[in-house]
Amino acid sequence: MKEDERYAAVEACKWVDEVVPNAPYNTTVECLKEHNIDFCVHGDDITTMADGTDCYQAVKDAGLYRECKRTVGVSTTELVGRMLLMTRDHHKRTNATETPIISTFDTSELPLFSTNGSTTATVSHFLPTSRRIVQFSEGREPKPTDKVVYVDGTFDLFHVGHIEFLKRAKALGDFLIVGVHDDQTVNAIKGSNYPLMNLHERALSVLACRYVDEVIIGAPYSVTEELLSGEYNVSVVAHGNSHLEQDMNGKHPYELPKKLGIYTEIDTPNSTITTEGIINRIIENRKTFEERQRRKTQKAALERQKEIEEKNNLAQN
């Protein structure tokens, strides 16, 4: 994503209070003091400068550093790899005796895209625990007087276009529910490689957005009566002004809310930023990304070695 798009994406995260633009890659004590920051937090993977020095060494030495465990298998590097290496058949259901095509897709002629150094592209099997879902969830119910709004979609490679749409959807009422379609449904409707992210990754991306109150994981592609008046009493159903595919039965997915007079369309200024557009950026600049990934792979190997040495030193002390 472009710089302004990344700022907007981080700003929309419900755990973020302020975004510092043009932040230095090498975090310094002076930078923390300038923005009244008590301490710096990073994942448990070492990040180094071009010369191999730790980006956070200064704040570590000053006792202003905290560390949290990184989520394995979810990173920008992994997503770029999926965009460049996935086949058209990776979402097809297979028999127990069959080997999915994607599991044997040899990438030996391409640079490494996996952070664990694998030379085989794989479909993500990231599965959140109930504890993780609770951490992401707001945990609040709509008040009896709240106007409940429902939207749905794929929300693949969650980006600023999605964020602007959800922001405008929330403005239509008081409580926003977002339905996220499952992988097989998305692939059956859109075909090709979609979705790039699995259902759980997409659902958590949406839950992390500050404008979202609740997420329905694996929502039906067509809006149903049960969805409108079951768990919640939905007053408004909205969709963007982008192209909309018919359901597998040939019907319009918003036929029911249209009939009930509760359907509306949202015009979004960032509708030109799409999942397909982001994928095209990667494909069009493939050689650039391949070279970048080669450098990142070499750098990652050095960082892993440095991390091992650092842990061994701590153990000895």
Side-chain angles (χ1 to χ4, degrees), residues 78-92:
E78 295 284 349
L79 292 178
V80 170
R82 292 183 209 176
M83 282 183 263
L84 291 177
L85 304 179
M86 276 181 152
T87 71
R88 289 180 177 272
D89 300 296
H90 69 275
H91 286 296
K92 288 185 178 179

Side-chain angles (χ1 to χ4, degrees), residues 32 70 94 97-98 101 111 122 132 138 147 152 176 193 234-235 240 261 272:
L32 298 190
R70 182 181 178 183
T94 58
T97 57
E98 293 180 333
I101 293 176
T122 58
R132 178 168 289 153
E138 281 293 304
K147 187 177 183 180
D152 59 13
L176 179 62
N193 290 342
V234 177
S235 301
T272 54

